[in-house]
């Protein structure tokens, strides 16, 4: 049986006495969109940090296409196909939008140098940033900063893309645009793991949901069934049965 | 009911780019006013103008009868106007409790103190000695809200307080806000992207489109269709 694209095996992460990720396991296949929900402080971003290599786990492994990448550094994982966005976008303010995306396309190491320009242009079009390509990233309003964060992750040409709250602070119309972009990316065969509190955006595109609470897996499965479970409604939505 | 805050022909520029084109708006005592509109419509610029983070013509912003458009941010805060800013903007070198305490630097009297903020966000009490930036994104947003409440404002301005918060917490925050406004007569301006939420938790709403007011009225009277139309400037 071929290995899953991404496998998270029994990951635990502690900060001092505080266990923020508690024996979490799941796997992901190409073309899937896994949505991650959970109360504030449930360990969602920490889980991303462990997968992308920003943080080393105290126990457990991350496997990419069957290979253990747990000891690899973030840029090495990026070059093997793990791309990610961050909750708070920090673009290079003194570079243009195009240059920011070009940096990701060049140094993400998944594109030949000669292809990087074309890759950057393609990603700008996909994320709706083409009209702003020559603007300085430092002066962008929130929506465009979010799009740029998305575009930079995508420009590394990943096999799996980790998206951390990219729809937060967007209007319903703008969130719908983000959902369409995520769909277009999925159709290219890229797997996506998406942390999001804008539940309706997530539900529009997720093929599976995973709910974290206090660092541990509370539920996983079909999005509608997971969201309908009494435990998830109580812990996450604040709706008593 | 008289207006606590009133803006008249308020304009704002970023260099040559005009962000606000003459905003006339008001907030009455104890009133919750929702500010809605697409990103880039000028909502945050409106709030930072009122907060004194950018200079305006003195008479274009009046608070409790006085012209405050030319005042700096510290003077505006001392009058009882507090902002929960976009992007949280916590003091990274301070603990959770120190960040909260900074909100009370102007020593205004009122219902809010550390105990009350910890009651609203129990998780902050557990982490009060932790560096603020070690908290999760959503928990940092709670600190930003708590810090603004600690100022015991007469006017609380919230730039997307629900950003990054789990639905259960969003409910709690808005329930607390209803109590603050209802029982203590505090006024609030709330930028909120969830239109249903914006309508149900506010008395009146303004919709901004490209730096102008495209729709204004009692929240209960505004239909979803009218709001959608105003969003796109149709």
């Amino acid at each position: 049986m071929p290995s899953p694209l991404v496998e998270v095996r029994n990951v635990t992460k502690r900060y001092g006495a505080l266990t923020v990720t508690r024996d979490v396991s799941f796997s992901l296949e190409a073309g899937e969109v896994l949505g991650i929900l959970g109360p504030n402080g449930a360990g969602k971003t920490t889980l991303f940090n462990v997968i992308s290599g920003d943080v080393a786990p105290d126990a457990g492994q991350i496997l990419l296409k069957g290979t253990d990448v747990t000891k690899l550094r973030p840029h090495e994982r990026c070059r093997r196909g793990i791309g990610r966005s961050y909750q708070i976008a920090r673009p290079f303010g003194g570079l243009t939008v195009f240059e920011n995306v070009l940096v990701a396309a060049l140094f993400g190491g998944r594109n030949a140098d000669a292809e990087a320009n074309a890759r950057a242009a393609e990603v700008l079009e996909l994320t709706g940033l083409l009209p702003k390509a020559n603007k300085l990233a430092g002066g962008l309003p929130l929506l465009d900063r979010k799009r740029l964060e998305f575009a930079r992750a995508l420009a590394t040409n990943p096999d799996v893309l980790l998206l951390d709250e990219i729809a937060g602070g967007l209007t319903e119309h703008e969130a719908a645009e983000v959902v369409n972009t995520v769909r277009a990316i999925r159709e290219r065969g890229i797997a996506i793991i998406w942390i999001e509190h804008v539940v309706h955006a997530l539900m529009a595109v997720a093929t599976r949901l995973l709910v974290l609470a206090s660092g541990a897996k509370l539920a996983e499965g079909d999005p509608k069934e997971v969201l309908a479970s009494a435990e998830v409604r109580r812990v996450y939505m604040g709706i008593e049965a | 009911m008289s207006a606590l805050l009133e803006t008249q022909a308020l304009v704002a520029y970023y260099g040559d780019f005009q962000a606000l084109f003459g905003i006339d708006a008001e907030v009455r005592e104890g009133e919750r006013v929702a500010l809605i509109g697409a990103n880039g419509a000028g909502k945050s610029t409106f709030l930072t103008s009122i907060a004194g983070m950018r200079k305006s013509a003195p008479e274009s912003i009046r608070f409790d009868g006085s012209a405050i458009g030319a005042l700096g941010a510290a003077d505006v805060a001392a009058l009882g106007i507090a902002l929960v800013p976009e992007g949280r903007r916590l003091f990274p070198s301070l603990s959770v409790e120190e960040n909260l305490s900074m909100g009370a630097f102007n020593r205004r009297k009122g219902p809010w103190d550390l105990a009350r903020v910890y009651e609203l966000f129990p998780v902050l009490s557990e982490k009060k000695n932790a560096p603020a930036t070690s908290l999760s994104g959503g928990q940092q947003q709670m600190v930003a809200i708590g810090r603004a409440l600690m100022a015991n404002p007469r006017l609380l301005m919230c730039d997307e307080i629900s950003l990054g918060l789990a639905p259960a917490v969003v409910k709690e925050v808005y329930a607390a806000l209803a109590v603050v406004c209802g029982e203590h007569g505090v006024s609030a301006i709330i930028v909120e992207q969830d239109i249903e939420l914006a309508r149900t938790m506010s008395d009146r709403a303004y919709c901004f489109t490209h730096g102008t007011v495209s729709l204004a009225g009692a929240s209960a009277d505004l239909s979803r269709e009218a709001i959608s139309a105003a969003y796109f400037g149709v």
Side-chain angles (χ1 to χ4, degrees):
Chain A
M1 207 177 75
S3 309
L5 178 59
V6 179
E7 201 180 342
V8 173
R9 252 188 221 167
N10 306 103
V11 164
T12 293
K13 175 67 196 172
R14 297 182 201 93
Y15 289 109
L18 183 70
T19 304
V20 283
T21 307
R22 221 178 276 266
D23 196 24
V24 172
S25 298
F26 64 88
S27 63
L28 187 76
E29 303 290 347
E32 276 197 287
V33 180
L34 174 67
I36 298 186
L37 294 175
N40 300 116
K44 303 182 292 296
T45 299
T46 297
L47 185 60
F48 265 19
N49 287 340
V50 171
I51 298 173
S52 65
D54 292 71
V55 156
D58 291 300
Q61 287 100 39
I62 306 297
L63 286 84
L64 184 66
K65 288 169 273 186
T67 307
D68 189 336
V69 298
T70 318
K71 302 283 183 216
L72 296 187
R73 294 164 63 188
H75 68 278
E76 295 168 318
R77 295 193 203 189
C78 177
R79 288 172 186 173
R80 286 179 186 231
I82 299 179
R84 78 165 289 184
S85 75
Y86 291 83
Q87 250 177 54
I88 295 192
R90 292 196 179 92
F92 299 110
L95 299 184
T96 66
V97 167
F98 176 77
E99 288 164 343
N100 264 279
V101 177
L102 187 62
V103 167
L106 278 172
F107 296 98
R110 306 262 295 166
N111 305 287
D113 285 2
E115 295 165 4
N117 271 302
R119 177 73 192 161
E122 181 194 356
V123 165
L124 287 178
E125 176 149 34
L126 197 60
T127 51
L129 277 173
L130 210 47
K132 311 267 173 86
N134 294 321
K135 288 209 175 353
L136 283 182
L140 292 178
L142 177 76
L143 173 62
D144 292 329
R145 283 207 305 274
K146 293 231 165 207
R147 282 177 169 151
L148 179 54
E149 185 64 14
F150 197 171
R152 291 204 299 172
L154 200 52
T156 64
N157 208 2
D159 295 319
V160 57
L161 185 57
L162 313 181
L163 301 173
D164 198 351
E165 291 193 34
I166 53 167
L170 305 187
T171 64
E172 288 175 29
H173 179 74
E174 292 159 354
E177 280 179 27
V178 167
V179 165
N180 284 336
T181 310
V182 171
R183 274 207 191 99
I185 293 163
R186 182 196 163 198
E187 279 162 16
R188 296 173 174 218
I190 298 171
I192 291 161
I193 311 180
W194 186 1
I195 295 173
E196 191 54 73
H197 287 302
V198 183
V199 177
H200 65 85
L202 202 55
M203 292 300 281
V205 65
T207 54
R208 194 152 47 105
L209 272 193
L210 189 156
V211 182
L212 291 176
S214 305
K217 201 155 87 173
L218 179 73
E220 184 186 1
D222 174 76
K224 287 202 179 69
E225 285 172 21
V226 165
L227 211 56
S229 90
E231 184 73 355
V232 170
R233 286 167 66 84
R234 187 181 62 77
V235 171
Y236 181 64
M237 307 294 284
I239 302 168
E240 296 292 339
Chain B
M1 213 162 34
S2 65
L4 177 66
L5 177 88
E6 197 177 357
T7 69
Q8 263 184 6
L10 178 64
V11 294
Y13 294 86
Y14 293 91
D16 291 334
F17 176 77
Q18 187 166 5
L20 297 179
F21 292 83
I23 303 287
D24 296 335
E26 63 172 28
V27 181
R28 298 164 202 153
E29 297 263 9
E31 195 179 39
R32 284 171 298 166
V33 171
L35 208 57
I36 55 180
N39 279 299
K43 305 185 301 293
S44 295
T45 303
F46 182 69
L47 296 189
T48 51
S49 296
I50 295 167
M53 292 162 69
R54 42 181 43 261
K55 291 278 184 289
S56 307
E59 294 290 334
S60 62
I61 305 172
R62 300 188 73 83
F63 184 69
D64 203 13
S66 307
I68 64 159
L71 295 186
D75 295 325
V76 172
L79 291 173
I81 298 180
L83 173 69
V84 181
E86 182 187 333
R88 316 190 279 254
R89 301 294 190 96
L90 302 184
F91 299 105
S93 61
L94 300 184
S95 69
V96 168
E97 186 153 302
E98 287 164 345
N99 264 281
L100 293 173
S101 302
M102 284 306 289
F105 80 101
N106 59 26
R107 296 165 176 271
R108 289 179 52 83
K109 295 267 184 294
W112 289 97
D113 54 22
L114 284 169
R116 187 84 196 279
V117 170
Y118 290 146
E119 198 180 305
L120 176 61
F121 301 121
V123 66
L124 297 188
S125 168
E126 292 161 26
K127 303 202 167 180
K128 61 184 173 189
N129 296 321
T133 46
S134 73
L135 270 56
S136 84
Q139 290 167 346
Q140 290 187 37
Q141 182 69 7
M142 296 175 197
V143 178
I145 297 167
R147 181 180 58 183
L149 291 171
M150 289 289 288
N152 277 302
R154 294 177 68 189
L155 174 65
L156 178 65
M157 302 194 293
C158 304
D159 201 347
E160 307 203 16
I161 44 173
S162 61
L163 193 60
L165 298 184
V169 181
V170 173
K171 275 182 156 183
E172 285 172 36
V173 169
Y174 277 117
L177 200 62
V179 171
V180 175
C181 296
E183 290 178 11
H184 304 290
V186 171
S187 308
I189 304 179
I190 295 136
V191 173
E192 172 59 61
Q193 297 295 6
D194 183 326
I195 295 179
E196 266 325 292
L197 197 56
R199 274 175 52 188
T200 49
M201 42 51 58
S202 64
D203 305 303
R204 281 188 313 119
Y206 290 94
C207 183
F208 280 24
T209 307
H210 303 308
T212 62
V213 173
S214 54
L215 184 70
S219 304
D221 299 341
L222 298 179
S223 71
R224 216 182 156 72
E225 292 68 36
I227 293 172
S228 294
Y231 256 73
F232 302 115
V234 203

